[in-house]
């Protein structure tokens, strides 16, 4: 006959240690820590970090300890390596990089200023295959004079590629700086999105800032999807918006070339 | 543990985000053990324990300081994980509530053994003892399994157990005793089956 004390001591032996992954999973789920893993992109391997609130970092891949130290310094949260980016998130990021803007990717942008978040939210509105000048963002968020601050905020974008700061260029059409590995990577990404960076810069150098159609009398920024459909016979280049307006053209409602016109 | 929890709730009341990791470290083994012995599956148990700790954090985030200070962490966390285990078992159908059966209680193979080693506890000792007890626990109806797991695997006191199960102390004591009796019966059925195999 087995006695209760024997059974009781057998039951005590059924206590086990939690799996080592439980602590990081819980801490990341509640947003007190992050997980990270590597992710392939057109510009090589990246590190993606995330937690229960959303994606918190996209960076060029470095070794684990370098990333963990810089992430802790920037976010004050520990980052724990995970086997891989969770399937659903990986699929969403891949679809977004392919230009599908319907896919929703949650972002964890805690600790950043309202100004920075407004800049990034505005950059999210720029369609794949198009670019906008820094001054356009500044004007659209209601701070037309803050062009330099817009550039700084884009440089601090913790989630490049997902927030497409690569689609913001100088007013003269030159490609400008890029936080994720410099201008070379910015050109690669823009080219992968269907833009020709050399042609963009050549247009800028020639002094052309706007393109109109003499059949619709609508004037656009040069990379606007509407401007790119204008046939060569109807294409009218402009150096400034006032020139276009005085010639009887109205600004496109899609790319809103009036924003940033003050800086032009 | 009680003293640790007292200082833990004070710290949680002052600084939830700065203290929560300490709560996870202090309680993750017991919550995982409860889930594993209720569900019988490691990956289900890990999910349930994770879910329980996340729910605990969200609840704490909505409580004011005095309410956190008044918490008895051990039974409170046990209730959260137990409820998650129960709803998982309900979702999985009758898996958690099947009657005591020989098929479930028995290991797949049983080696014939000598006369003097055939007392029930020796049968269990001769096999993977922990695995055997875990298997027997899974044969208990949910109410008894919950009571036995919280009392004897997790080690809650009867007052804590009464709080965790929200039942009078007398009721939970009776459930624990009845659960242990069921375990003893299941064990003896296993041993009897082994004896028959040896005779045959």
């Amino acid at each position: 006959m087995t006695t209760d004390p024997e059974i009781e001591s057998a039951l005590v032996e059924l206590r086990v240690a939690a799996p080592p992954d439980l602590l990081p999973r819980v801490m990341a789920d509640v947003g007190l820590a992050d997980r990270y893993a590597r992710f392939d992109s057109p510009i090589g391997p990246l590190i993606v970090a995330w937690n229960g609130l959303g994606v918190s970092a996209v960076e060029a891949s470095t070794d684990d300890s370098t990333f963990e130290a810089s992430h802790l310094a920037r976010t004050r949260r520990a980052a724990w390596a995970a086997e891989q980016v969770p399937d659903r998130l990986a699929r969403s990021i891949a679809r977004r990089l392919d230009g599908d803007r319907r896919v929703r990717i949650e972002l964890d942008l805690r600790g950043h200023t309202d100004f920075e978040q407004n800049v990034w939210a505005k950059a999210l509105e720029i369609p794949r295959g198009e670019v906008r000048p820094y001054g356009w963002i500044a004007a659209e968020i209601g701070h037309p004079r803050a062009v330099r601050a817009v550039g700084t905020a884009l440089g601090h974008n913790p989630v490049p590629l997902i927030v497409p700061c690569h689609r913001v260029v100088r007013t003269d059409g030159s490609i400008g700086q890029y936080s994720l590995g410099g201008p070379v990577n910015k050109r690669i990404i823009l080219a992968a999105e269907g833009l020709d960076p050399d042609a963009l810069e050549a247009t800028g150098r020639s002094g052309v800032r706007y393109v109109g159609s003499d059949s619709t009398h609508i004037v656009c920024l040069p990379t606007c999807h509407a401007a790119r459909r204008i046939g060569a016979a109807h294409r009218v280049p402009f150096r400034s918006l006032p020139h276009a307006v005085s010639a009887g053209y109205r600004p496109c409602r899609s790319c809103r070339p009036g924003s940033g016109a003050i800086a032009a | 543990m009680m003293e640790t929890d007292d200082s833990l709730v004070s710290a949680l009341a002052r600084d939830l985000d700065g203290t929560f990791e300490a709560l996870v470290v202090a309680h993750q083994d017991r919550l995982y053990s409860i889930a594993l012995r209720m569900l019988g599956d490691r990956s289900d148990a890990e999910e349930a324990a994770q879910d329980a700790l996340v729910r605990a954090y969200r609840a704490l985030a909505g409580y004011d300081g005095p309410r956190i200070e008044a918490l008895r962490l051990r039974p409170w966390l046990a209730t959260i994980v137990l409820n998650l285990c129960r709803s998982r078992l309900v979702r999985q159908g009758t898996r958690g509530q099947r009657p005591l059966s020989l098929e479930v209680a028995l290991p797949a193979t049983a080696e014939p053994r000598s006369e003097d080693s055939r007392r029930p506890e020796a049968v269990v000792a001769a096999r993977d003892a922990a695995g055997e007890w875990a298997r027997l626990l899974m044969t208990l109806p949910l109410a008894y399994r919950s009571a036995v797991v919280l009392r004897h695997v997790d080690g809650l006191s009867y007052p804590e157990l009464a709080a965790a199960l929200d039942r009078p102390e007398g009721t939970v004591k009776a459930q624990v005793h009845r659960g242990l009796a069921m375990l003893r019966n299941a064990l003896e059925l296993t041993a009897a089956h082994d004896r028959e195999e040896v005779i045959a």
Side-chain angles (χ1 to χ4, degrees):
Chain A
M1 185 73 188
T2 309
T3 64
D4 280 359
E6 282 176 280
I7 296 182
E8 288 168 16
S9 58
L11 291 173
V12 169
E13 298 300 312
L14 294 185
R15 292 179 193 164
V16 289
D21 208 37
L22 184 58
L23 174 66
R25 278 166 57 172
V26 170
M27 294 298 285
D29 236 21
V30 300
L32 294 177
D34 293 5
R35 309 304 304 271
Y36 70 94
R38 286 173 178 76
F39 189 87
D40 277 326
S41 81
I43 50 167
L46 302 174
I47 286 180
V48 175
W50 69 92
N51 59 46
L53 303 179
V55 176
S56 58
V58 174
E59 289 184 15
S61 183
T62 52
D63 64 273
D64 286 2
S65 55
T66 306
F67 173 75
E68 288 167 16
S70 74
H71 191 77
L72 182 65
R74 186 172 67 76
T75 65
R76 299 188 182 176
R77 294 190 301 273
W80 273 297
E83 291 271 316
Q84 58 184 35
V85 179
D87 284 348
R88 224 177 111 216
L89 179 59
R91 276 197 304 274
S92 297
I93 294 175
R95 279 176 57 192
R96 178 65 76 79
L97 297 188
D98 277 346
D100 184 348
R101 288 204 290 168
R102 288 166 306 175
V103 52
R104 187 173 170 80
I105 298 176
E106 302 295 338
L107 300 173
D108 176 12
L109 302 176
R110 286 175 294 169
H112 294 283
T113 65
D114 287 349
F115 180 82
E116 287 175 318
Q117 299 202 33
N118 288 341
V119 168
W120 302 332
K122 186 50 70 176
L124 275 167
E125 293 179 14
I126 308 171
R128 178 186 164 91
E130 300 186 24
V131 293
R132 301 285 184 269
Y134 293 101
W136 180 89
I137 297 240
E140 287 267 317
I141 64 170
H143 296 278
R145 292 172 184 279
V147 179
R148 187 175 292 272
V150 165
T152 306
L154 290 168
H156 290 163
N157 172 13
V159 286
L161 287 180
I162 297 176
V163 168
C165 56
H166 58 274
R167 294 178 195 155
V168 187
V169 300
R170 295 201 181 123
T171 305
D172 66 5
S174 62
I175 294 301
Q177 287 303 311
Y178 188 45
S179 62
L180 196 60
V184 172
N185 279 348
K186 195 168 180 175
R187 302 179 88 88
I188 294 172
I189 298 163
L190 288 174
E193 294 187 342
L195 260 182
D196 179 347
D198 295 333
L200 186 70
E201 291 191 320
T203 304
R205 272 196 306 275
S206 71
V208 173
R209 299 287 179 268
Y210 305 93
V211 175
S213 158
D214 65 9
S215 59
T216 62
H217 281 76
I218 294 173
V219 61
C220 297
L221 289 164
T223 61
C224 174
H225 58 93
R228 296 164 84 187
R229 280 204 303 268
I230 304 170
H234 294 284
R235 203 175 176 83
V236 184
F238 291 103
R239 290 174 167 272
S240 77
L241 199 61
H243 278 118
V245 172
S246 63
Y249 285 72
R250 72 150 177 88
C252 168
R253 292 195 182 95
S254 174
C255 66
R256 298 186 293 279
S259 297
I262 298 157
Chain B
M1 181 56 94
M2 294 304 286
E3 279 173 26
T4 318
D5 275 1
D6 283 347
S7 58
L8 199 51
V9 286
S10 312
L12 285 166
R14 281 195 309 274
D15 175 14
L16 171 61
D17 286 358
T19 312
F20 187 70
E21 183 171 352
L23 178 148
V24 177
V25 169
H27 289 274
Q28 62 175 351
D29 290 351
R30 54 179 292 259
L31 296 184
Y32 176 69
S33 296
I34 292 170
L36 180 60
R37 299 321 174 192
M38 288 302 297
L39 300 171
D41 177 88
R42 289 183 182 276
S43 96
D44 285 355
E46 185 170 359
E47 278 179 25
Q50 178 181 351
D51 204 358
L53 286 161
V54 169
R55 279 165 195 245
Y57 174 82
R58 295 196 178 130
L60 291 169
Y63 292 175
D64 59 16
R67 186 161 178 195
I68 295 177
E69 295 242 33
L71 277 178
R72 293 155 74 191
L73 279 184
R74 281 166 55 79
W76 183 67
L77 291 169
T79 305
I80 296 174
V81 76
L82 195 62
N83 285 340
L84 289 166
C85 290
R86 283 179 178 146
S87 50
R88 260 170 193 272
L89 290 167
V90 168
R91 271 206 310 275
Q92 290 167 2
T94 55
R95 203 177 115 180
Q97 297 174 24
R98 65 194 150 199
L100 195 56
S101 83
L102 263 186
E103 285 69 35
V104 176
L106 286 174
T109 56
E111 292 289 310
R113 57 201 82 238
S114 67
E115 278 299 315
D116 57 0
S117 70
R118 226 164 296 127
R119 290 169 55 240
E121 57 273 36
V123 170
V124 167
R127 298 200 188 106
D128 165 18
E132 187 65 24
W133 284 107
R135 184 198 306 274
L136 291 173
L137 257 183
M138 290 303 292
T139 67
L140 296 188
L142 263 189
Y144 299 102
R145 196 192 311 164
S146 311
V148 169
V149 166
L150 291 190
R151 174 72 188 101
H152 288 300
V153 178
D154 188 42
L156 289 187
S157 66
Y158 278 115
E160 286 176 321
L161 184 57
L165 295 175
D166 195 22
R167 292 276 185 282
E169 221 175 295
T171 307
V172 298
K173 268 186 186 164
Q175 283 179 332
V176 169
H177 290 158
R178 176 87 183 105
L180 288 179
M182 288 170 161
L183 272 183
R184 200 181 312 114
N185 283 342
L187 180 65
E188 275 152 17
L189 279 173
T190 308
H193 184 90
D194 277 9
R195 273 194 295 273
E196 280 165 25
E197 278 196 349
V198 172
I199 292 161

